[in-house]
């Protein structure tokens, strides 16, 4: 019996350790290792409330265990009738007042940080990005720089960025756990939040408001770069050429196919004048992922073009005429992929993106 | 009058189709609610199986969305609520020493509306797809969802919601008007108190849902634009309407659960409830605050810091009366003589589980922290701790506790304990880890999660736990079958309990109390027993008892609305379906007319017959 109890204890201790060790998750996705201002603010409140709650739980469990061990009916006591106590005013006041005090400890920092995270006083002097959520991708328009891009939001490190967010269909929610808490993206009111990242790198973003078939695949990234890299990137994006001509022969064939089938929805230059129909493909060669979720490789691009329904069920591309007409097969898609992989804003590869692709390759 | 045993199957069925007896209605609620609980459970297992490994392809994205939508809707509206109603029907009139509910006909109507509404919701599965916009059906996803799934949701909930509203009103009137002599408000058992407050919440909360569902029905079926921004509507209004109903709904479920545990803890600790007065006030306060906090479901909607802060603090305030309850239960146990059988085991399992759920409730209430939790598995974990750890545990406990009163037999204690340990272990395995999954970046309602995001292990553990809960439930079903086959009758008071329902035989005669009992304090039966009496002292001489007649009309009225529902849905494709709509409404209105013009004054059981029966 004793031995058995010991085993249980070791086992539960071990499983608890496993949980703790794995509890932090993937470091560019988890909210438990904050790498940005909003995430840090939320994390502080999380920690305060967990500490208070642990105290409460320990007290409750101590009484609970004591009571069950001490007052459990034993053999031969079946007919015993305990004293019928009515209550105890003092005790009841104690367990009313103490929780109120504990709640105040949580409420004060909660309110302070809630107001802090809604602060818009620096909006005018900061980078402003207009975010549009669509089924099932994200469009980012840099308001002052007059460029737009999709799926990947480039921001400079240690700089406050204001996001002005609206949806063009159903409600979505913008969440990059390592950088900041989430904010809904609604079709009628513009919601504003700001983000600030502490470290360069690529951070994983998720849609958290249930938005249809591919809700679980509506991923995006925040690419945090140095100020210098950011300026370079903006400059490159502003100079992406709508009249670009592909270099290799297959890419040129791909470009022709692209111009016949894809251009009505997808722009290849980053000018902000394009209506938001499909993702803007400028600087495509620097994408961390294909369609936000698949590894960046020619193979995955081809898979996406040939059968987008398999990759993201219910997405808007399924209405594209080429799919009804079956006009693009494996071979054509490969040529288009060659063309897309040539699209870039600058010749310098972005450090964070390179690093991210390497890490992803190692992880899988 | 144990005529049911002698009757054929047809006659017994007819008896149940027409009954207005609250105890039979309770059994029907138990069977129907149990059936939907199993359906909802199977949906849950399908969800967990899909998430057993990353990028699984067990179900398609569209089907998965139907599964999560129907799992939530089924569990809340078709399992938890009806099962709570089952025990309210079985127990409340008995606990207050009444012969019936105030409106027996309405009680039956409420049940049939719920059942037909529930069937309507599930018909969607067979006609091209169930609802797929989440159980909360947020606009514009719900208003633009293709197919008829969401239409079935809207009409099914509308019909069954009407039934719930009637049930709530009925219990309010019953508890106010039908208490036995001496049963003052402050002598009512806590389960009756919680049923009372829950009914009051139903009275105020369900109309909000009704209004919301009407607006959504107009948007979807008749092209209005209440929730369509392009037409000048407002999508977020749906969220307000939904949660003004939806948050109190949590307490409509949880308060009766607290009541159930209060009864069980006090019975098996052999002590009166510690701090009864405080418990009553805490119940009322929780009910009241439940209405003040709906917008905490909407911290990320963009309401601004002022609204977020107010709703955050109001929400945290609920922890105070809930905490009072937890400590009062602990101090009821303190100094008691605790007998640990199956119902008590559920109650003891409930205390730490619900404490955890309440604690994460306070954490989620902290608006700026909720920006991280919202719509993730953290929230999924939190509300399952509250609703499963509170409500479902209570339903399991109540099933074991009141089974002898409802059926006259006791469920097997060994099997009951096996059910408990399987379900309890499975539950914590499933949901504890989900707190971490949420913070590690797993949003809720995700059909798949990507590989290499460190979410695999947690999801695997979670799925294993879910299946353990499934096995636990199967053991309960085996237990029920075994007990029914053995059919060993027990006395009216097998637990040596304290409240009035145990003062009469099990199962009770159809008129409940031959003579209304005289209530002289809290735990009236206990008082009589400690003074050496076997049962209650009657408060009146033996007299004729007035009883209502059975009626088939509630079934017909509900059937009419069920038929009309199809007319409403399909007229959007083809106007000839309007005929079905009119036929259905005709049946309902016709049956209502019959009810209005036909005198039905019931009948009397004569005291001579009662005497004769007593002598037999």
């Amino acid at each position: 019996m004793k031995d058995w109890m010991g085993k249980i204890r070791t086992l539960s201790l071990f499983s608890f350790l496993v949980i703790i060790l794995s509890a932090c998750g993937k470091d560019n996705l988890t909210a438990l290792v904050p790498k940005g201002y909003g995430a840090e603010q939320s994390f502080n409140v999380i920690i305060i409330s967990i500490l208070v709650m642990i105290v409460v739980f320990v007290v409750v469990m101590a009484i609970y265990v004591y009571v069950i061990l001490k007052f459990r009916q034993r053999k031969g006591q079946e007919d015993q009738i305990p004293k019928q106590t009515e209550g105890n005013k003092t005790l009841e006041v104690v367990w009313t007042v103490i929780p109120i005090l504990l709640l105040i400890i949580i409420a004060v920092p909660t309110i302070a940080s809630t107001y802090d995270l809604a602060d818009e006083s620096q909006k005018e002097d900061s980078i402003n990005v207009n975010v549009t959520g669509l089924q099932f991708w994200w469009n980012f328009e840099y308001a002052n720089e007059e460029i737009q891009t999709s799926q990947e939001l480039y921001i400079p490190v240690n700089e406050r960025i204001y996001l002005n967010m609206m949806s063009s269909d159903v409600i979505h929610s913008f969440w990059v756990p390592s950088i900041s808490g989430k904010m809904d993206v609604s079709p009628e009111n513009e919601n504003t939040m700001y983000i600030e990242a502490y470290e360069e790198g690529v951070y994983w973003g998720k849609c958290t408001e249930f938005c249809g078939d591919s809700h679980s695949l509506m991923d995006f990234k925040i690419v945090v770069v140095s100020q210098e890299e950011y300026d370079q990137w903006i400059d490159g994006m502003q100079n992406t050429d709508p009249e670009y001509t592909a270099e290799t022969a297959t890419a040129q064939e791909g470009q022709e196919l692209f111009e016949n089938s894809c251009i009505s929805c997808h722009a290849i230059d980053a000018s902000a004048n394009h209506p938001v129909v499909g993702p803007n493909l400028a600087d495509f060669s620097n994408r961390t992922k294909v369609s936000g979720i698949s590894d960046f490789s020619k193979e995955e691009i081809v898979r996406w073009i040939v059968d987008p329904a398999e990759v993201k069920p219910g997405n808007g591309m399924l209405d594209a005429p080429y799919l009804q007409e079956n006009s693009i097969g494996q071979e054509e898609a490969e040529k288009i992929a060659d063309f897309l992989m040539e699209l870039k804003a600058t010749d310098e590869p972005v450090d964070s993106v390179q690093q991210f692709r390497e890490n992803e390759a190692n992880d899988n | 009058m144990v005529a049911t045993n002698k009757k054929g199957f047809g006659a017994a069925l007819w008896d149940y189709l027409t009954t207005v007896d609250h105890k039979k209605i309770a059994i029907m609620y138990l069977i129907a609610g149990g059936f939907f609980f199993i359906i909802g459970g199977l949906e849950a297992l399908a969800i967990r199986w899909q998430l057993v490994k990353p990028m699984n392809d067990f179900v398609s994205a569209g089907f998965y969305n139907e599964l999560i939508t129907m799992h939530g809707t089924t569990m809340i509206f078709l399992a938890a609520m009806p099962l709570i109603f089952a025990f309210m029907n079985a127990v409340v009139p008995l606990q207050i020493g009444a012969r019936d509910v105030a409106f027996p006909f309405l009680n039956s109507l409420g049940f049939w509306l719920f059942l037909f509404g529930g069937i309507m919701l599930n018909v969607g599965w067979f006609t091209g797809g169930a609802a797929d916009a989440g159980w909360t059906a947020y606009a514009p996803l719900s208003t633009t969802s293709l197919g008829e799934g969401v239409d079935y949701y809207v009409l099914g909930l509308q019909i069954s919601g009407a039934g719930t509203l009637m049930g709530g009103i009925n219990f309010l009137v019953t508890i106010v008007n039908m208490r036995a002599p001496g049963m003052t408000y402050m002598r009512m058992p806590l389960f009756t108190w919680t049923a009372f407050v829950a009914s009051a919440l139903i009275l105020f909360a369900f109309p909000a849902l009704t209004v919301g569902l009407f607006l959504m029905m107009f948007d979807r079926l008749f092209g209005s634009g209440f929730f369509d921004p392009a037409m000048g509507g407002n999508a977020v209004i749906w969220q307000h309407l939904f949660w003004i109903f939806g948050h109190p709904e949590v307490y409509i479920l949880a308060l009766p659960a607290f009541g159930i545990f209060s009864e069980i803890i006090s019975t098996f600790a052999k002590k009166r409830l510690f701090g009864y007065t405080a418990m009553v006030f805490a119940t009322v306060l929780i009910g009241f605050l439940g209405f003040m906090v709906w917008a905490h479901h909407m911290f990320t909607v963009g309401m601004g810091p002022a609204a977020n802060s107010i709703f955050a603090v109001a929400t945290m305030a609920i922890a105070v009366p809930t905490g009072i309850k937890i400590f009062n239960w602990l101090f009821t146990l303190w100094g008691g003589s605790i007998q640990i059988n199956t119902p008590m085991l559920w109650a003891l399992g409930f205390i730490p589980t619900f404490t955890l759920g309440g604690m994460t409730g306070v954490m989620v209430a902290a608006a700026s922290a909720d920006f991280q939790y919202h719509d993730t598995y953290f929230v999924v974990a939190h509300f399952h701790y509250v609703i499963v750890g509170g409500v479902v545990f209570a339903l399991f406990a109540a099933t074991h506790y009141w089974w002898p009163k409802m059926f006259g037999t006791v469920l097997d204690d060994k099997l009951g304990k096996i059910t408990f340990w399987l379900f309890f272990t499975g539950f914590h395995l499933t949901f504890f880890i989900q707190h971490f999954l949420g913070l590690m970046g797993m949003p809720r309602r995700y059909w798949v999660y990507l590989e290499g995001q460190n979410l695999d292990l947690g999801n695997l553990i979670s799925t294993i736990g879910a299946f353990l809960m499934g096995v636990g439930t199967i053991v309960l079903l085996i237990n029920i079958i075994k007990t029914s086959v053995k059919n060993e009758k027990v006395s009216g008071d097998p637990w040596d309990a304290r409240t009035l329902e145990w003062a009469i035989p099990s199962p009770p005669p159809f008129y409940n109390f031959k003579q209304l009992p005289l209530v002289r304090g809290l735990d009236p039966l206990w008082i009589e027993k400690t003074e050496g009496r076997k049962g209650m002292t009657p408060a009146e001489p033996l007299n004729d008892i007035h009883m209502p007649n059975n009626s088939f009309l509630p079934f017909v009225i509900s059937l009419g609305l069920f038929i009309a529902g199809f007319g409403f849905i399909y007229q959007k494709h083809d106007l000839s379906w309007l005929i079905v709509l009119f036929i259905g409404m005709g049946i309902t209105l016709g049956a209502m007319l019959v009810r209005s013009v036909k005198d039905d004054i019931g009948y009397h059981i004569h005291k001579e017959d009662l005497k004769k029966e007593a002598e037999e």
Side-chain angles (χ1 to χ4, degrees), chain B residues 312-326:
Chain B
V313 173
T315 305
M316 288 179 197
I318 296 184
V320 176
T322 314
I324 291 175
K325 279 182 170 256
I326 297 272

PDB file of all heavy atoms in Angstrom, chain B residues 312-326:
ATOM      1  N   ALA B 312     -14.982  44.433 -15.655  1.00  0.00           N
ATOM      2  CA  ALA B 312     -13.976  43.595 -14.993  1.00  0.00           C
ATOM      3  C   ALA B 312     -14.235  43.557 -13.492  1.00  0.00           C
ATOM      4  O   ALA B 312     -14.308  42.486 -12.880  1.00  0.00           O
ATOM      5  CB  ALA B 312     -12.571  44.129 -15.282  1.00  0.00           C
ATOM      6  N   VAL B 313     -14.408  44.716 -12.890  1.00  0.00           N
ATOM      7  CA  VAL B 313     -14.582  44.774 -11.437  1.00  0.00           C
ATOM      8  C   VAL B 313     -15.903  44.122 -11.027  1.00  0.00           C
ATOM      9  O   VAL B 313     -15.966  43.352 -10.061  1.00  0.00           O
ATOM     10  CB  VAL B 313     -14.504  46.235 -10.944  1.00  0.00           C
ATOM     11  CG1 VAL B 313     -14.847  46.309  -9.463  1.00  0.00           C
ATOM     12  CG2 VAL B 313     -13.112  46.790 -11.200  1.00  0.00           C
ATOM     13  N   ALA B 314     -16.966  44.393 -11.798  1.00  0.00           N
ATOM     14  CA  ALA B 314     -18.268  43.788 -11.484  1.00  0.00           C
ATOM     15  C   ALA B 314     -18.168  42.274 -11.522  1.00  0.00           C
ATOM     16  O   ALA B 314     -18.747  41.575 -10.687  1.00  0.00           O
ATOM     17  CB  ALA B 314     -19.330  44.277 -12.459  1.00  0.00           C
ATOM     18  N   THR B 315     -17.413  41.776 -12.486  1.00  0.00           N
ATOM     19  CA  THR B 315     -17.280  40.324 -12.607  1.00  0.00           C
ATOM     20  C   THR B 315     -16.514  39.736 -11.424  1.00  0.00           C
ATOM     21  O   THR B 315     -16.906  38.720 -10.861  1.00  0.00           O
ATOM     22  CB  THR B 315     -16.556  39.967 -13.919  1.00  0.00           C
ATOM     23  OG1 THR B 315     -17.262  40.581 -14.992  1.00  0.00           O
ATOM     24  CG2 THR B 315     -16.516  38.468 -14.122  1.00  0.00           C
ATOM     25  N   MET B 316     -15.417  40.409 -11.073  1.00  0.00           N
ATOM     26  CA  MET B 316     -14.630  39.904  -9.938  1.00  0.00           C
ATOM     27  C   MET B 316     -15.482  39.850  -8.682  1.00  0.00           C
ATOM     28  O   MET B 316     -15.322  38.951  -7.852  1.00  0.00           O
ATOM     29  CB  MET B 316     -13.428  40.820  -9.689  1.00  0.00           C
ATOM     30  CG  MET B 316     -12.349  40.702 -10.753  1.00  0.00           C
ATOM     31  SD  MET B 316     -11.009  41.830 -10.385  1.00  0.00           S
ATOM     32  CE  MET B 316     -10.189  41.882 -11.960  1.00  0.00           C
ATOM     33  N   ALA B 317     -16.421  40.796  -8.562  1.00  0.00           N
ATOM     34  CA  ALA B 317     -17.254  40.855  -7.354  1.00  0.00           C
ATOM     35  C   ALA B 317     -18.015  39.550  -7.135  1.00  0.00           C
ATOM     36  O   ALA B 317     -18.303  39.177  -5.999  1.00  0.00           O
ATOM     37  CB  ALA B 317     -18.233  42.023  -7.456  1.00  0.00           C
ATOM     38  N   ILE B 318     -18.340  38.831  -8.222  1.00  0.00           N
ATOM     39  CA  ILE B 318     -19.088  37.581  -8.074  1.00  0.00           C
ATOM     40  C   ILE B 318     -18.292  36.549  -7.271  1.00  0.00           C
ATOM     41  O   ILE B 318     -18.863  35.661  -6.638  1.00  0.00           O
ATOM     42  CB  ILE B 318     -19.477  37.017  -9.461  1.00  0.00           C
ATOM     43  CG1 ILE B 318     -20.431  37.985 -10.142  1.00  0.00           C
ATOM     44  CG2 ILE B 318     -20.141  35.655  -9.334  1.00  0.00           C
ATOM     45  CD1 ILE B 318     -20.955  37.494 -11.461  1.00  0.00           C
ATOM     46  N   ALA B 319     -16.978  36.692  -7.282  1.00  0.00           N
ATOM     47  CA  ALA B 319     -16.152  35.736  -6.539  1.00  0.00           C
ATOM     48  C   ALA B 319     -16.452  35.788  -5.048  1.00  0.00           C
ATOM     49  O   ALA B 319     -16.272  34.801  -4.345  1.00  0.00           O
ATOM     50  CB  ALA B 319     -14.679  36.014  -6.791  1.00  0.00           C
ATOM     51  N   VAL B 320     -16.917  36.939  -4.547  1.00  0.00           N
ATOM     52  CA  VAL B 320     -17.135  37.070  -3.102  1.00  0.00           C
ATOM     53  C   VAL B 320     -18.288  36.181  -2.626  1.00  0.00           C
ATOM     54  O   VAL B 320     -18.075  35.304  -1.779  1.00  0.00           O
ATOM     55  CB  VAL B 320     -17.330  38.551  -2.702  1.00  0.00           C
ATOM     56  CG1 VAL B 320     -17.655  38.669  -1.229  1.00  0.00           C
ATOM     57  CG2 VAL B 320     -16.075  39.342  -3.041  1.00  0.00           C
ATOM     58  N   PRO B 321     -19.519  36.341  -3.165  1.00  0.00           N
ATOM     59  CA  PRO B 321     -20.579  35.414  -2.717  1.00  0.00           C
ATOM     60  C   PRO B 321     -20.276  33.951  -3.043  1.00  0.00           C
ATOM     61  O   PRO B 321     -20.662  33.057  -2.281  1.00  0.00           O
ATOM     62  CB  PRO B 321     -21.823  35.888  -3.470  1.00  0.00           C
ATOM     63  CG  PRO B 321     -21.347  36.789  -4.549  1.00  0.00           C
ATOM     64  CD  PRO B 321     -20.053  37.360  -4.082  1.00  0.00           C
ATOM     65  N   THR B 322     -19.568  33.710  -4.150  1.00  0.00           N
ATOM     66  CA  THR B 322     -19.232  32.321  -4.477  1.00  0.00           C
ATOM     67  C   THR B 322     -18.256  31.761  -3.452  1.00  0.00           C
ATOM     68  O   THR B 322     -18.378  30.609  -3.015  1.00  0.00           O
ATOM     69  CB  THR B 322     -18.632  32.232  -5.892  1.00  0.00           C
ATOM     70  OG1 THR B 322     -19.441  33.014  -6.766  1.00  0.00           O
ATOM     71  CG2 THR B 322     -18.626  30.808  -6.392  1.00  0.00           C
ATOM     72  N   GLY B 323     -17.305  32.594  -3.048  1.00  0.00           N
ATOM     73  CA  GLY B 323     -16.355  32.192  -2.011  1.00  0.00           C
ATOM     74  C   GLY B 323     -17.071  31.892  -0.704  1.00  0.00           C
ATOM     75  O   GLY B 323     -16.773  30.899  -0.032  1.00  0.00           O
ATOM     76  N   ILE B 324     -18.054  32.732  -0.358  1.00  0.00           N
ATOM     77  CA  ILE B 324     -18.839  32.505   0.861  1.00  0.00           C
ATOM     78  C   ILE B 324     -19.438  31.111   0.824  1.00  0.00           C
ATOM     79  O   ILE B 324     -19.410  30.356   1.789  1.00  0.00           O
ATOM     80  CB  ILE B 324     -19.960  33.567   0.979  1.00  0.00           C
ATOM     81  CG1 ILE B 324     -19.347  34.936   1.266  1.00  0.00           C
ATOM     82  CG2 ILE B 324     -20.962  33.181   2.065  1.00  0.00           C
ATOM     83  CD1 ILE B 324     -20.354  36.076   1.275  1.00  0.00           C
ATOM     84  N   LYS B 325     -19.959  30.744  -0.356  1.00  0.00           N
ATOM     85  CA  LYS B 325     -20.576  29.423  -0.492  1.00  0.00           C
ATOM     86  C   LYS B 325     -19.559  28.309  -0.262  1.00  0.00           C
ATOM     87  O   LYS B 325     -19.808  27.364   0.477  1.00  0.00           O
ATOM     88  CB  LYS B 325     -21.190  29.271  -1.887  1.00  0.00           C
ATOM     89  CG  LYS B 325     -22.541  29.935  -1.980  1.00  0.00           C
ATOM     90  CD  LYS B 325     -23.154  29.741  -3.349  1.00  0.00           C
ATOM     91  CE  LYS B 325     -24.599  30.192  -3.340  1.00  0.00           C
ATOM     92  NZ  LYS B 325     -25.563  29.115  -3.319  1.00  0.00           N
ATOM     93  N   ILE B 326     -18.399  28.438  -0.907  1.00  0.00           N
ATOM     94  CA  ILE B 326     -17.384  27.398  -0.760  1.00  0.00           C
ATOM     95  C   ILE B 326     -17.030  27.200   0.714  1.00  0.00           C
ATOM     96  O   ILE B 326     -17.001  26.087   1.230  1.00  0.00           O
ATOM     97  CB  ILE B 326     -16.105  27.757  -1.561  1.00  0.00           C
ATOM     98  CG1 ILE B 326     -16.402  27.835  -3.065  1.00  0.00           C
ATOM     99  CG2 ILE B 326     -14.965  26.786  -1.249  1.00  0.00           C
ATOM    100  CD1 ILE B 326     -16.279  26.542  -3.816  1.00  0.00           C
TER     101      ILE B 326
END
